[in-house]
Amino acid sequence: MAYMSEDGYNKLIAELKHLEAVERPKIIAAIAEARDKGDLSENAEYDAAKEAQGLLEGKIAKLKAVIADAKIIDESKLKTDSVQILNKVELKNVKNGAKMTYTIVSESEANLKEGKISVNTPIAQGLLGKKVGDVAEIKVPQGMIKLEVLNISF
């Protein structure tokens, strides 16, 4: 089960509709055009279009599976007494004093450029359940880091 925000769920639905309504017909047209060019055994355009179709259908199937498995979180029931999914968490690296802010989201909504980390990452896993003032010791590829929770919000 993939927990996600309503906004994240709606983005997945929009992407699925785009792939089915726009991208799929483009590939079908490309296959038909390549087929009209003759011998399929030596037709690189046909092979490329069929490969693109396979990749697209795989992406559509994956999106459908994520959507079917999605559980939308009622944001009105979220609390900020301890870290949980969809919380924005302000942190301080105890060792070097660096501050950072992350929002913990579902895997499909993760986007590091926007400060959104997947609930499945080691950092998010180490922070879940922590309260303001708690220090989480988290094992990351570079070793152990200590992060102090400074603030929890939405």
Side-chain angles (χ1 to χ4, degrees), residues 36-105:
D36 290 343
K37 292 185 178 177
D39 185 10
L40 297 182
S41 64
E42 295 179 15
N43 190 330
E45 281 182 54
Y46 179 78
D47 292 340
K50 288 298 280 183
E51 184 176 337
Q53 181 185 36
L55 293 172
L56 178 71
E57 294 302 328
K59 190 171 184 177
I60 288 172
K62 186 177 178 185
L63 262 177
K64 284 183 175 181
V66 169
I67 290 168
D69 200 33
K71 173 133 177 64
I72 299 173
I73 297 171
D74 183 355
E75 295 182 38
S76 67
K77 294 183 180 177
L78 291 177
K79 296 181 170 62
T80 57
D81 55 341
S82 66
V83 178
Q84 57 186 316
I85 192 166
L86 296 187
N87 281 153
K88 181 181 260 187
V89 186
E90 189 179 335
L91 306 164
K92 180 175 83 173
N93 185 320
V94 174
K95 185 177 181 182
N96 63 17
K99 291 185 179 179
M100 61 209 83
T101 303
Y102 294 121
T103 302
I104 300 174
V105 297

